[in-house]
Structures are given as C-alpha cells and as structure tokens.
C-alpha cells in the first residue's frame, strides 16, 4: 500500500479525534498515575482554570487536593488493569456562597498502566436545583404533617400534571394514571372548566410567582367539595418557569380563610418564624427600600453551636425544643419591623431595616448573651446552649439580599472559627472581626 495513503488516513483520523475533543460536551483529560496532565480538551481547561488561577494546569491531583485529598491513594490502590476507579464523584471546590456552592463531577478511568482518563463536568446549577427541590419537598411534607386535608401535585411548564401524590388519591379519588398528562381542568366543574378558570390560575402564577383560588371542585365519583388551591411557579435562576407546584385543600367542613392558608405556606412549621422563601421575599422588599431611600439595612446570621451534639445527646425532640426557644428569644429581642426567618436546620437569618452595622452588632450581642443565659427544660432534662452570630450591612459589594446574607454568613463562620459563642462582623471589603 502506498505509504502516502497511510499517512493521509492517519492525519484524517487525528483530525477527527481533535474535532471530537474540541466538541465534546464534557471536560476530558489524560493524566498519569501521579496526576500529571498529559492532554486536556478546551472544556476541561475552561472548567478547571478558575480553580487553578494559573495559566497552566500541570497536575490534576494537586489542583483538587483541597476537596479530594485521596485521589492519589485511590489510583495507587486500584489493582485492576483497566476500568473505572470511581464515577461521578461530587467535589465541592468552593462554598464561599453557601446557597450556590461550586461543585464538579469527576470520573476517573484507568485506560492502561500509568494512563488514566478524567471526565469532569460543572454540576453547580444541578446541585442548586436539587437543593431547591429538596426544600420544596420538605415544605410540602411539613404541610402534610400538620394538616391532613392537603393534596399535592406538580405541573410541567405547559400546565400539565406530571407529579401526583398519594394525598391526591385520598382527596379526589383519581389515580396517578388518570391524572398524569391532564390539566387542572380535571378537578373543575364543567362550567368552570369551559370558562378557563384553571388556565387562568396557572397564568396568574406564571406572572406573579403564586396564586390562591377558592371554589367548588369535583371528585372522581362526581361529587363536589369546596377547595382552596395554591399554584406556585418553579423558576430557574434566569427566571424561566420550569413548572408549578400545586396544593389543593379540602375545606368543605369548617372553611379556613385564604389568609390562614397563606400563613401556613409562608411560616416555618416548627418555629413559627418566616420560612426561607418568605424571608427572601421580604428581604427583596427591604433592599428595594434601601435602594430608593438610602436608609441603612443590616442582617444577622444566627447558628446554634454544636446543634448536632444536642440532637445526638438529648434526642431530636429536644433539638426541636431548643430551636423553638431560640426563635422565640430572638423575636422577644427584635423590633416589630425586623424580620426573622429559619433558613435551614439550626440557622436563622434576621433583617434589620434602618440599622447600621454597629447597631446590628449590638443587637447580635444582646441575642448572644440572652441565649447563653437560657436553660431549656424538656423531658426532665435541662439543656444549655450558645449561638454564633455574623453581622453585615448593605453597601459596596453587598448590594442585594443574597450578597448581604453571604457577607453575614462569612462573618458567622469567622465567629465559629474564633471559638463559637461570639458575634463577628466585617465592614465591606475587610476581614471579619469578632468579640466574645
């Protein structure tokens, strides 16, 4: 065979391989047993360069050492001649923003002795979405636990049912096979379905974020019942509506008002303070006032110290009692204009309209001292606990709710690192300071 043809075929094959590497939708790297990078496609460099903060990535294991220090050991312990060392391992490479951590997925495959293929993707948005879904699940579970007359379902972006909870069967008699793919018209009386009331509620939720309606609905057997329904839009970070959550409540016996339903949906079921969604909603309103009128706005992040130890030592009911007392103590010390919300677990946020950083620090110290003096009696046990608090104020880099709470959260962790039972604060652009 003509050697020129062999060379041309080889060059064509190499060109195809290069095109594949450039167009591949995941980061690909070839490394040796020590992690030294031998080959990398552009996407791998794009994903990893912000972490490296250097013009060249020389060693993958060194680069990821802070979040995956065991990579070298996993490689050296892998005795098979080839195969997956691990697949889709999640690595948190930066959690400065606790709400939206930077997370990578890494797969490492042994191709032959001394040669490994690494597949890396940025899954930060996926992780954030999973967190939002878990929060929504917890929210719904809390409602169902407290009230037995709720039915839960979800709609896709077009308004068709794509999720059906067993509570829906109990309330309406419809099975999942009968409702999936249908619209909310299925539950409306014929005259209301024709007039488009179900579509109207979904449109209102798409526009405003959520909508509450009340009226007659029908069950599978044709009987009707008085129902309050809430439709809430689920949005991506870019504002695109990707679906809806729906709550149906049978209030045929002993009607409750729409205000009571809304209260159930915006408060934390355990402590009675604002839930996470409501807290951020009120925060956006306060930031809008700050931008318009320029009056001070500060925030506190409050975290119960060693809370896992409390749960492990005294039990979860005791832990719940501690959180209730903590929330009530904060409410007693705050003004009526202040906003407190439970942001998750043992962490609470506080918005302080009209107060600057120094005033927020004094409030934080007042809360810290009051909690330190508390004793919680539950099931014959007396529990003492403390809190760490971070303070921040609007201005400079803190120009929105998320940025303000991130600054307060960084100060909170400075208080934790300083020994806990402290208040820490940081003027914009400066390192957090703490006081016992």
């Amino acid at each position: 065979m003509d050697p020129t043809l062999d060379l041309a075929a080889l060059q064509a094959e190499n060109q195809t391989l290069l095109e594949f590497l450039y167009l591949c939708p995941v980061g690909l790297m070839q490394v040796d047993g020590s992690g030294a990078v031998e080959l990398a496609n552009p996407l791998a460099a794009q994903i990893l360069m912000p972490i490296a903060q250097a013009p060249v990535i020389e060693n993958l294991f060194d680069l990821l050492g802070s979040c995956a220090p065991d990579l070298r050991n996993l490689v050296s312990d892998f005795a098979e001649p080839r195969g997956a060392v691990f697949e889709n391992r999640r690595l948190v490479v930066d959690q400065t923003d606790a709400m939206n951590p930077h997370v990578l997925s890494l797969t490492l495959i042994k191709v032959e002795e001394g040669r490994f293929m690494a597949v890396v993707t940025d899954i930060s948005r996926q992780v954030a979405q999973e967190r939002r879904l878990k929060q929504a699940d917890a929210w719904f579970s809390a409602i169902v636990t407290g009230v037995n007359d709720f039915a839960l379902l979800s709609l896709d972006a077009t308004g068709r049912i794509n999720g059906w909870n067993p509570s829906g069967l109990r309330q309406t008699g419809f099975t999942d096979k009968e409702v999936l793919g249908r619209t909310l018209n299925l539950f409306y009386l014929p005259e209301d379905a024709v007039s488009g009331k179900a579509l109207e509620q979904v449109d209102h939720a798409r526009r405003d974020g959520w909508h509450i309606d009340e009226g007659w609905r029908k069950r599978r057997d044709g009987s009707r019942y008085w129902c309050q329904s809430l439709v809430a839009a689920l949005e991506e970070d870019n504002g695109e509506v990707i679906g809806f959550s729906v709550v149906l409540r049978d209030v045929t016996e002993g009607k409750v008002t729409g205000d009571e339903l809304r209260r159930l949906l915006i408060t934390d079921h355990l402590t009675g303070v604002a839930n996470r969604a409501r807290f951020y909603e009120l925060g956006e309103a306060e930031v809008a006032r700050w931008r318009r009128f320029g009056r001070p706005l500060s925030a506190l992040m409050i975290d119960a110290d060693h809370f896992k130890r409390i749960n492990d030592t005294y039990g979860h009911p005791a832990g719940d009692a501690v959180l209730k007392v903590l929330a009530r103590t904060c409410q007693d010390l705050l003004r009526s204009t202040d906003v407190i919300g439970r942001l998750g677990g043992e962490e609470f946020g506080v918005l302080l309209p009209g107060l600057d950083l120094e005033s927020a620090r004094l409030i934080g110290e007042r809360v810290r001292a009051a909690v330190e003096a508390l004793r919680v009696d539950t099931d014959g046990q007396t529990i003492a606990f403390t809190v760490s608090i971070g303070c921040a104020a609007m201005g400079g880099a803190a120009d929105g709710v998320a940025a303000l709470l991130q600054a307060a959260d960084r100060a909170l962790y400075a208080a934790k690192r300083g020994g806990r039972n402290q208040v820490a604060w940081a003027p914009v652009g400066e390192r957090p300071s703490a006081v016992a």
Side-chain angles (χ1 to χ4, degrees):
M1 181 179 291
D2 187 345
T4 306
L5 295 177
D6 286 346
L7 179 60
L10 182 60
Q11 289 175 335
E13 184 178 340
N14 287 340
Q15 182 63 32
T16 301
L17 178 59
L18 286 174
E19 290 175 357
F20 167 75
L21 289 174
Y22 270 85
L23 296 175
C24 186
V26 296
L28 295 175
M29 306 183 81
Q30 180 178 302
V31 301
D32 66 15
S34 69
V37 177
E38 298 173 344
L39 291 172
N41 72 344
L43 186 55
Q46 180 182 335
I47 292 172
L48 295 173
M49 203 65 76
I51 306 168
Q53 296 182 340
V56 178
I57 302 172
E58 296 182 347
N59 190 291
L60 181 63
F61 298 167
D62 289 342
L63 177 63
L64 300 176
S66 61
C67 57
D70 57 343
L71 290 181
R72 283 190 175 84
N73 290 336
L74 291 173
V75 167
S76 61
D77 293 344
F78 190 75
E80 300 298 323
R82 64 182 59 83
V85 181
F86 54 80
E87 296 182 74
N88 300 319
R89 180 176 177 181
R90 292 189 172 189
L91 307 178
V92 181
V93 297
D94 184 5
Q95 47 187 344
T96 304
D97 182 352
M99 308 296 182
N100 298 287
H102 186 183
V103 185
L104 303 181
S105 172
L106 180 66
T107 296
L108 194 63
I109 301 170
K110 185 175 183 179
V111 180
E112 60 185 16
E113 192 63 38
R115 188 156 67 100
F116 296 81
M117 182 66 70
V119 183
V120 60
T121 53
D122 189 329
I123 58 171
S124 302
R125 291 190 64 183
Q126 174 188 333
V127 170
Q129 178 69 8
E130 288 174 356
R131 174 177 292 181
R132 286 195 293 271
L133 290 173
K134 287 179 181 178
Q135 289 168 348
D137 286 343
W139 182 62
F140 285 141
S141 296
I143 294 173
V144 173
T145 300
V147 185
N148 294 323
D149 295 329
F150 280 105
L152 311 177
L153 60 146
S154 61
L155 312 178
D156 63 21
T158 68
R160 294 190 175 276
I161 300 169
N162 61 2
W164 185 241
N165 189 283
S167 60
L169 173 63
R170 292 196 301 269
Q171 182 179 125
T172 69
F174 288 103
T175 66
D176 55 355
K177 291 182 180 179
E178 292 171 318
V179 301
L180 293 178
R182 306 285 296 276
T183 70
L184 293 179
N185 270 335
L186 180 65
F187 310 114
Y188 279 72
L189 301 181
E191 58 271 26
D192 291 334
V194 171
S195 65
K197 284 192 175 182
L199 179 61
E200 183 179 278
Q201 188 177 18
V202 171
D203 286 343
H204 282 314
R206 190 189 304 276
R207 183 193 65 201
D208 301 329
W210 58 276
H211 186 263
I212 293 177
D213 185 33
E214 185 170 339
W216 291 111
R217 302 291 186 268
K218 67 174 182 178
R219 297 187 177 91
R220 186 179 184 278
D221 62 8
S223 63
R224 67 177 190 170
Y225 67 103
W226 193 263
C227 175
Q228 289 175 340
S229 59
L230 178 140
V231 178
L234 303 175
E235 296 183 353
E236 285 280 18
D237 292 336
N238 61 8
E240 179 186 356
V241 175
I242 59 172
F244 302 88
S245 294
V246 181
V247 182
L248 304 177
R249 187 179 187 191
D250 182 354
V251 289
T252 305
E253 298 296 331
K255 290 185 187 179
V256 296
T257 65
D259 287 343
E260 183 180 347
L261 175 60
R262 186 170 186 272
R263 180 187 61 78
L264 289 169
L265 298 175
I266 65 176
T267 57
D268 175 60
H269 71 286
L270 176 65
T271 62
V273 300
N275 62 20
R276 185 186 184 87
R278 178 60 172 168
F279 182 82
Y280 272 84
E281 178 186 347
L282 295 173
E284 292 294 350
E286 291 299 339
V287 167
R289 293 188 188 97
W290 172 77
R291 290 197 178 107
R292 184 176 180 185
F293 302 111
R295 71 170 184 166
L297 175 61
S298 299
L300 305 178
M301 292 291 280
I302 303 172
D303 190 89
D305 295 328
H306 301 299
F307 186 71
K308 183 178 185 300
R309 186 185 302 170
I310 293 174
N311 277 334
D312 292 345
T313 304
Y314 300 100
H316 287 277
D320 289 347
V322 165
L323 294 180
K324 290 178 183 178
V325 170
L326 172 56
R328 186 168 62 249
T329 301
C330 291
Q331 287 177 307
D332 291 343
L333 294 172
L334 296 172
R335 305 166 299 168
S336 60
T337 55
D338 298 331
V339 178
I340 178 171
R342 185 181 177 198
L343 304 185
E346 66 274 20
E347 192 170 62
F348 294 81
V350 178
L351 296 169
L352 301 169
L355 297 187
D356 59 14
L357 185 63
E358 175 60 18
S359 299
R361 183 187 69 80
L362 293 174
I363 294 289
E365 176 56 28
R366 193 181 306 164
V367 170
R368 184 207 65 77
V371 171
E372 185 179 25
L374 286 173
R375 296 297 181 269
V376 179
D377 295 317
T378 174
D379 291 334
Q381 305 173 105
T382 300
I383 303 172
F385 70 103
T386 60
V387 292
S388 297
I389 301 176
C391 309
M394 290 291 287
D399 60 353
V401 178
L404 176 63
L405 294 178
Q406 287 164 20
D409 199 53
R410 287 193 293 271
L412 168 64
Y413 278 94
K416 293 281 190 183
R417 290 193 299 270
R420 295 182 168 84
N421 192 24
Q422 295 182 357
V423 179
W425 68 98
V428 175
E430 297 183 18
R431 181 168 297 180
S433 303
V435 62

